[in-house]
Amino acid sequence: ALVLLVGGCLPTAATAQGRAIADLWMVFLVPAVVVAAIVWGLATVAILRFRRRGDDATLPPQTEGHAGLEFLWTSLPILTVLVLFGFTMVTLGRIEARAPDAVEVTVTAFRWQWQIAYPTTGITITGTPDRPAEMVVPIGRPVHVTLASSDVAHAFYVPAFLFKRDAIPGRTTSFDLTVEAAGTYRGQCAEFCGVFHDQMLFSVRAVPPAEFEAWLATAAAASGRGE
């Protein structure tokens, strides 16, 4: 019961991609519980029913060369793995898919903060330990993030998104996020990167599309004035 309780304590996914991950987790959890119940159940029965009670105890009935049983306990695990593999590939396809009309955002990790840029507007936000960077995104619209690191390995991690992606020096990676509910979601670096790793915080603020467009205009104007 404790294992089931802990296994179900995932945060509610705030993105479409996160929901796909949560669904896949449940697909894995159900057969895992079934397999655990079978294995633990049979092991418990064998321990209690056939435990040795003395030197003259007889062995339980032995079955050798049962083709049906051997086929069953070989084919069922293989089938289970293949089905789970198929679900995993479908989910990965949904997570890695790129939308053509996504908002472009470039995120650069550095020791020990984040720089968030909107290339098409000239907006650049550089975080500091006292004022962590904030990424503003529209709800219901895909956001294409290009992730990089300027020094050592970091990791972009937002718990509410059920998503983490490493930022590797000399290599860029990208992914889409579609936030489904307005709010501010806290993020952090999830790869130990040095002394002030704990200060590498950031946030993602999801707002309605009209509010996002207004923010873009205001932030672009402020950027043009050098603010």
Side-chain angles (χ1 to χ4, degrees), residues 128-192:
T128 65
D130 297 328
R131 189 176 182 180
E134 181 181 67
M135 180 194 303
V136 182
V137 301
I139 58 175
R141 182 178 174 186
V143 177
H144 184 72
V145 178
T146 300
L147 180 65
S149 170
S150 62
D151 40 49
V152 299
H154 300 280
F156 179 96
Y157 174 53
V158 182
F161 295 173
L162 304 184
F163 183 84
K164 181 178 82 73
R165 181 63 58 88
D166 287 348
I168 307 298
R171 176 182 176 182
T172 59
T173 183
S174 61
F175 52 90
D176 278 13
L177 295 172
T178 305
V179 184
E180 299 179 320
T184 299
Y185 304 95
R186 303 300 179 184
Q188 62 195 67
C189 175
E191 188 81 27
F192 182 69

